[in-house]
Amino acid sequence: MNKKRQRKIAENLFSELHQTPVLLGSLCGACDEHFFPRQDACAKCPSEDMQDVVLGSSGQLWSWTVQHFPPKPPFRSNASAEKFEAYGVGYIELPCGLKVESRLLENNPENLSIGDSMELKIVPFFTDEDGCEVLSFAFQRAS
């Protein structure tokens, strides 16, 4: 069996702890503000007292839309304009109050409502020039 090579779209965005995917971020030790992706200095106050934290794997759908056209560079899409499939994009409010922009695994407006419970998934995003499957994160309605 030939296992496909995989890599993350970027390091320190997400991890799979105990087989459960989680988003990774940072917390300011001075003002308790959370950030995603992680930051070396606080954007709210002048502190550099930043701690790496697990932001979790679930939240609530705060706002969303459906994108009906391929993203423009520098964002990636392996699909041509003719083969492109619309996808959902939304803001997920995490338990800490931080809102994270994310691709959604649902693109039918009838299946999404503000306030829906959402869960994090790690999904293939595109295949790079070397044939490596690049993984990213997305949210779907919690089951």
Side-chain angles (χ1 to χ4, degrees):
M1 179 152 79
N2 189 5
K3 185 171 177 162
K4 192 174 225 177
R5 291 181 307 121
Q6 296 180 323
R7 69 174 174 87
K8 294 178 182 178
I9 193 164
E11 289 302 316
N12 300 320
L13 290 181
F14 56 86
S15 179
E16 293 183 87
L17 301 173
H18 308 291
Q19 310 258 327
T20 300
V22 294
L23 290 180
L24 303 173
S26 54
L27 173 66
C28 176
C31 70
D32 291 329
E33 190 75 19
H34 287 86
F35 294 93
F36 177 82
R38 69 172 303 284
Q39 306 288 316
D40 291 328
C42 185
K44 185 177 178 185
C45 77
S47 178
E48 291 183 6
D49 178 18
M50 303 299 287
Q51 304 155 21
D52 291 342
V53 294
V54 172
L55 296 171
S57 60
S58 63
Q60 288 191 309
L61 188 58
W62 186 78
S63 181
W64 60 274
T65 191
V66 176
Q67 180 153 332
H68 294 279
F69 54 89
K72 294 179 173 84
F75 301 101
R76 299 286 306 238
S77 175
N78 281 352
S80 65
E82 297 79 32
K83 293 185 178 183
F84 175 77
E85 290 185 33
Y87 59 89
V89 178
Y91 283 97
I92 309 302
E93 185 171 12
L94 303 177
C96 66
L98 181 65
K99 294 172 186 79
V100 174
E101 183 178 0
S102 176
R103 187 175 276 234
L104 305 177
L105 295 182
E106 179 62 63
N107 66 358
N108 183 342
E110 294 178 15
N111 295 334
L112 292 170
S113 296
I114 291 174
D116 283 349
S117 293
M118 306 294 284
E119 61 187 10
L120 181 69
K121 298 292 179 187
I122 305 304
V123 296
F125 185 51
F126 65 91
T127 302
D128 70 13
E129 306 80 33
D130 297 326
C132 187
E133 187 174 60
V134 179
L135 304 175
S136 190
F137 66 94
F139 278 85
Q140 72 177 23
R141 284 182 64 201
S143 35

